[in-house]
Amino acid sequence: MKVPVVKSILAANDQIAQENRQLFDEKGVMAVNIMASPGAGKTSLILRTIERLRDKARIGVIEGDVASSIDADRIAQEGVPVVQINTGGGCHLDANMLRAALPSLNLDELDILFIENVGNLICPANFRLGAHIQAMLASIPEGDDKPYKYPGMYQGVDALVVNKIDLLPYVRFDMERFRKGVAALNPDVAIFEVSCVTGKGVQDWAEWLMQKKDTLLRRG
Ligand SMILES: Nc1nc2c(ncn2[C@@H]2O[C@H](COP(=O)(O)OP(=O)(O)O)[C@@H](O)[C@H]2O)c(=O)[nH]1
Ligand SMILES: [Mg+2]
């Protein structure tokens, strides 16, 4: 039977995710799992957020990609500690891959860890990593129907960043239809409309992250 096998894989993953979370809590690091389709702007958003927060928080990044270190190289240019995970074909990060990457970062010297998941709108939603914040990134050229087509990604995320709003004049995208689809799946999600090209809206997202960090640290 296939179902019990799948369940046990996810249970094993959840166990390791819990251990990752424990480590983050011990070290006082807020981990943010960023999920989106390829090209939505995950790396761009991380770079823009670093720009806003680097004077307020010590930031580290883990880059998940099927292959290459292109994104990690972009982050490293900013002088930010970064580790690249190559999944070698895998369509998502899992808790075990994250655990293996963590010793390469000095968590004692970090406040926020951004984890750029592999670009994919299905699998990342099913594999917990141990992050405190699940953030989904959508972008205007992908179309306003994506919440209806990929509901699993929109359910259970804490934040939804809608990127590339600078393209709204050129692309047919009905924000009302999009938001209606999101509201049906996840009425409490915090939504930020941003452009990583102009920088619009990034400040609100960055401030929300800092508030989350302060709340988490106070609790811990
Ligand atoms: N017009 C526009 N392009 C963007 C924006 N953000 C990212 N891009 C472009 O989208 C492409 C993919 O961005 P990247 O950050 O690499 O996406 P990732 O694959 O999700 O990490 C790049 O060519 C970026 O320059 C934006 O807000 N507006
Ligand atoms: Mg990227």
Side-chain angles (χ1 to χ4, degrees):
M1 267 177 69
K2 282 209 171 87
V3 173
V5 175
V6 170
K7 270 191 184 156
S8 77
I9 289 170
L10 287 177
N13 184 74
D14 283 358
Q15 174 63 35
I16 301 170
Q18 230 168 46
E19 289 162 21
N20 289 342
R21 169 72 71 95
Q22 225 163 26
L23 181 64
F24 293 140
D25 286 342
E26 271 165 36
K27 301 287 186 185
V29 178
M30 180 175 82
V32 185
N33 178 16
I34 299 185
M35 297 171 281
S37 58
K42 297 177 292 300
T43 311
S44 304
L45 181 70
I46 291 169
L47 286 165
R48 277 289 190 182
T49 312
I50 288 170
E51 215 174 85
R52 303 283 163 145
L53 293 185
R54 68 184 320 158
D55 296 337
K56 301 186 180 81
R58 299 165 301 172
I59 296 174
V61 179
I62 290 183
E63 284 291 338
D65 276 297
V66 171
S68 91
S69 65
I70 293 171
D71 287 355
D73 294 343
R74 283 166 76 190
I75 304 288
Q77 275 171 15
E78 300 302 312
V80 169
V82 58
V83 179
Q84 178 81 49
I85 300 175
N86 281 153
T87 63
C91 56
H92 59 271
L93 292 180
D94 64 32
N96 200 33
M97 292 177 201
L98 181 64
R99 177 165 70 177
L102 290 177
S104 304
L105 287 169
N106 186 352
L107 295 178
D108 289 320
E109 289 181 2
L110 297 183
D111 301 310
I112 301 178
L113 176 64
F114 291 110
I115 304 161
E116 178 175 339
N117 215 313
V118 178
N120 184 312
L121 281 186
I122 303 168
C123 310
N126 297 324
F127 286 83
R128 285 186 203 144
L129 303 178
H132 299 89
I133 305 282
Q134 314 305 321
M136 159 83 194
L137 179 65
S139 69
I140 299 303
E142 293 169 57
D144 52 27
D145 57 1
K146 291 303 166 288
Y148 302 90
K149 290 188 171 175
Y150 299 93
M153 285 295 290
Y154 288 82
Q155 283 160 345
V157 292
D158 307 294
L160 171 61
V161 180
V162 188
N163 188 30
K164 310 197 186 183
I165 55 167
D166 56 291
L167 297 180
L168 276 170
Y170 316 106
V171 177
R172 209 178 286 165
F173 186 99
D174 181 346
M175 189 64 83
E176 210 170 301
R177 180 180 183 223
F178 177 81
R179 278 182 172 260
K180 211 169 136 188
V182 174
L185 296 164
N186 192 343
D188 298 326
V189 68
I191 303 179
F192 304 93
E193 294 181 18
V194 312
S195 167
C196 289
V197 166
T198 67
K200 197 173 174 199
V202 176
Q203 185 65 25
D204 288 348
W205 150 253
E207 281 173 15
W208 181 85
L209 280 174
M210 286 304 282
Q211 272 173 16
K212 285 282 172 195
K213 185 184 79 67
D214 293 344
T215 315
L216 283 168
L217 287 185
R218 230 176 290 134
R219 216 192 303 143

